[in-house]
Amino acid sequence: MLGDIKPTVCVVGLGYIGLPTAAIIAGAGCPVLGFDVSQSVVDTINRGEIHIEEVDLDGLVHGVVQRGLLRASTRIEPSDVFVVAVPTPFAKDEDHKPGLSLVLAAATEIAAVLKRGNLIILESTSPVGTTEQVRDLIAGLRPDLKLPGSTAESADVSIAYCPERVLPGRILVELTHNDRSIGGITPRCARKALAFYKRFVRGECLTTDARSAEMTKLVENAYRDVNIAFANELSMIADEMGLDVWEVIRLANRHPRVNILQPGPGVGGHCIAVDPWFIVHGAPEQARLIRTAREVNDAKMRHVLARAIALVESAPTQQVGCLGLAFKANIDDLRESPARFVAASLARRFGKRVKVVEPFATTLPSEFAETGAALVDLDTALETCGVLILLVDHEVFRAVPLDERRHAQLYDTRGIWNDLGQAASALRLRLAS
Ligand code: SAJ
């Protein structure tokens, strides 16, 4: 199947990971069908356009659609390789139970068209054991096929787990150049998946078992969450003590073995703010540090909100500019965004005094409806707002010169406007007291 002839590939889920992955595989010459439940996503892609913001993705998708290598559909079709890249949300309650319904729904649909010799790869971030669960589900639906690991005989199909580990904003570069962990249900499955990834990955591909690969992905994001929590906890301690956390971190990082990350308004996005819970859910007694890091990063969001409220209340005649809604700089992704949480909470409390600037959005999200808050451009906010709350370190905000923001009372949650020096420190002290 995977010799000189290019395999046909079905990528299930055309979101932030699925669409770039589909486009890269198509770019390597494999005919790709992209499956998505949304008709409008499918129509957009079939026009050679894209529905998400990602560096260089528009040109790549346009090219592969035009060359007939990528097309999208709301129906899964028989293919040689299936790559599953659907979301795995978690329950927002005490239990934080991972939601596997989309993964299992994808597996059910794939089972209906599965043929001997096919390869299924799960890329969605998943709790340990999910790939085996997919195998068991398919085994129940297709008793005519021998599934890997459940029989001593050689299997009819291969199943592997290969997590994506790309950074939004650098997805195309990282999809090609990052190393990959490829976990097979059996070593043979891993080898099949390895041969597939070698078609388009330039980084090193390391094979392992499916459970280790699942845990590796969760560990990577939990590691980052714990490190950001350290920075965020430091910033709350510094606020309490009236210290400039950016100055302390800058100096501490001059130690050759210290590299503290940057505090912010909390941790957002669909990965780092979510994945650690999959570990906590799997081993609640043991995952104490990982759970605490999640709690610290969530607490930072509420800490920022409380300080923002205090600042806005201290300037009752001023309009309030909230700069940024995205979960991090220079992207349009608002999922699990602490900036969005803070801005929406301020909008609900202070109504039409609140002006929101988000260069990557054309409308405000639904929770702003009926608050009276408005989406304005950066120039308008700089001209009309006496209070500015910087929530996202977008390049366009970073570039605002001192003269254009000197008039306002500032709360810079990202530490990008430290040129204010004394004035910023004075405000910090005032808020701390
Ligand atoms: N953040 C800080 N301070 C920092 C770094 C980040 O507050 O010093 C915040 C960001 O503002 C953002 C959040 O953390 O709200 C996450 O941003 P990020 O840039 O660290 O990571 P993501 O969520 O965009 O992508 C992560 C990456 N994982 C790691 O770096 C270990 C990426 O490689 C994964 O592929 C991605 O999660 C994923 O899909 O799982």
Side-chain angles (χ1 to χ4, degrees):
M1 176 192 74
L2 299 176
D4 283 325
I5 303 157
K6 308 265 189 203
T8 57
V9 181
C10 175
V11 176
V12 182
L14 295 174
Y16 282 90
I17 299 302
L19 180 56
T21 302
I24 292 255
I25 298 171
C30 302
V32 178
L33 172 84
F35 163 88
D36 202 279
V37 287
S38 160
Q39 187 66 52
S40 89
V41 166
V42 163
D43 292 343
T44 305
I45 291 163
N46 284 334
R47 284 196 305 272
E49 295 166 10
I50 58 175
H51 61 292
I52 53 175
E53 190 81 27
E54 180 57 41
V55 178
D56 295 338
L57 184 61
D58 47 357
L60 178 63
V61 168
H62 186 76
V64 288
V65 169
Q66 260 198 339
R67 285 162 60 204
L69 284 166
L70 173 65
R71 67 195 167 83
S73 170
T74 54
R75 289 173 69 95
I76 287 182
E77 292 177 13
S79 305
D80 297 322
V81 181
F82 296 89
V83 178
V84 178
V86 295
T88 43
F90 70 106
K92 292 192 179 168
D93 54 19
E94 266 300 290
D95 197 29
H96 296 106
K97 191 168 186 282
L100 293 182
S101 61
L102 297 175
V103 168
L104 299 178
T108 305
E109 297 228 18
I110 292 168
V113 296
L114 200 59
K115 294 194 307 266
R116 197 159 281 127
N118 284 177
L119 165 65
I120 301 172
I121 297 163
L122 179 59
E123 285 211 2
S124 309
T125 303
S126 301
V128 174
T130 306
T131 312
E132 290 166 349
Q133 219 178 313
V134 164
R135 185 264 322 270
D136 294 345
L137 175 73
I138 295 174
L141 294 166
R142 293 293 304 271
D144 56 313
L145 291 173
K146 289 198 286 287
L147 274 294
S150 54
T151 159
E153 302 163 68
S154 65
D156 289 331
V157 296
S158 302
I159 305 180
Y161 181 74
C162 180
E164 57 75 23
R165 43 162 59 143
V166 292
L167 199 69
R170 286 177 47 81
I171 291 182
L172 293 182
V173 176
E174 295 208 354
L175 265 179
T176 310
H177 295 285
N178 285 0
D179 295 346
R180 307 281 303 228
S181 328
I182 300 174
I185 292 261
T186 61
R188 189 178 172 158
C189 295
R191 286 196 298 275
K192 289 264 187 201
L194 174 69
F196 173 65
Y197 279 99
K198 285 211 154 160
R199 292 179 177 278
F200 58 94
V201 172
R202 298 279 159 272
E204 212 174 318
C205 295
L206 308 160
T207 54
T208 182
D209 61 281
R211 291 170 72 87
S212 298
E214 287 161 343
M215 187 60 169
T216 301
K217 166 69 191 191
L218 303 180
V219 163
E220 290 165 5
N221 281 349
Y223 169 83
R224 192 146 169 92
D225 198 44
V226 168
N227 281 280
I228 299 170
F230 182 78
N232 278 334
E233 182 165 294
L234 275 188
S235 74
M236 291 186 274
I237 294 169
D239 285 345
E240 183 63 27
M241 293 182 171
L243 287 165
D244 181 343
V245 70
W246 316 103
E247 178 73 352
V248 173
I249 290 175
R250 189 177 67 81
L251 293 172
N253 280 350
R254 298 302 291 263
H255 185 290
R257 284 173 298 284
V258 173
N259 185 13
I260 303 170
L261 295 181
Q262 296 300 301
V267 168
H270 187 68
C271 308
I272 295 182
V274 176
D275 302 354
W277 286 123
F278 292 4
I279 299 180
V280 175
H281 189 261
E285 292 297 318
Q286 290 74 23
R288 286 158 50 202
L289 178 63
I290 294 171
R291 172 194 287 275
T292 303
R294 269 293 65 242
E295 288 167 354
V296 167
N297 284 329
D298 282 348
K300 180 65 196 291
M301 207 156 59
R302 294 189 294 275
H303 173 87
V304 165
L305 176 60
R307 288 168 62 81
I309 289 172
L311 176 60
V312 176
E313 284 178 345
S314 74
T317 59
Q318 301 294 337
Q319 307 239 56
V320 180
C322 291
L323 304 192
L325 290 179
F327 85 83
K328 67 175 194 174
N330 307 322
I331 61 167
D332 70 340
D333 192 341
L334 309 186
R335 289 178 299 175
E336 310 286 334
S337 170
R340 175 176 171 176
F341 165 79
V342 171
S345 305
L346 292 174
R348 275 191 289 272
R349 192 169 180 127
F350 298 106
K352 62 179 182 344
R353 281 178 68 198
V354 174
K355 311 293 171 206
V356 180
V357 184
E358 177 44 75
F360 291 93
T362 48
T363 52
L364 286 176
S366 57
E367 68 268 28
F368 287 83
E370 291 165 30
T371 60
L375 185 67
V376 302
D377 63 22
L378 178 59
D379 290 347
T380 308
L382 291 172
E383 278 159 25
T384 60
C385 295
V387 173
L388 291 175
I389 299 168
L390 187 288
L391 295 166
V392 184
D393 44 344
H394 286 319
E395 206 47 57
V396 60
F397 300 155
R398 210 179 264 278
V400 175
L402 180 56
D403 275 353
E404 289 194 58
R405 52 189 151 85
R406 201 195 296 272
H407 67 283
Q409 300 200 52
L410 297 177
Y411 180 16
D412 173 6
T413 70
R414 296 277 183 175
I416 63 172
W417 285 342
N418 272 343
D419 51 4
L420 270 178
Q422 293 295 316
S425 306
L427 178 63
R428 263 192 291 273
L429 282 175
R430 189 148 62 77
L431 283 170
S433 60

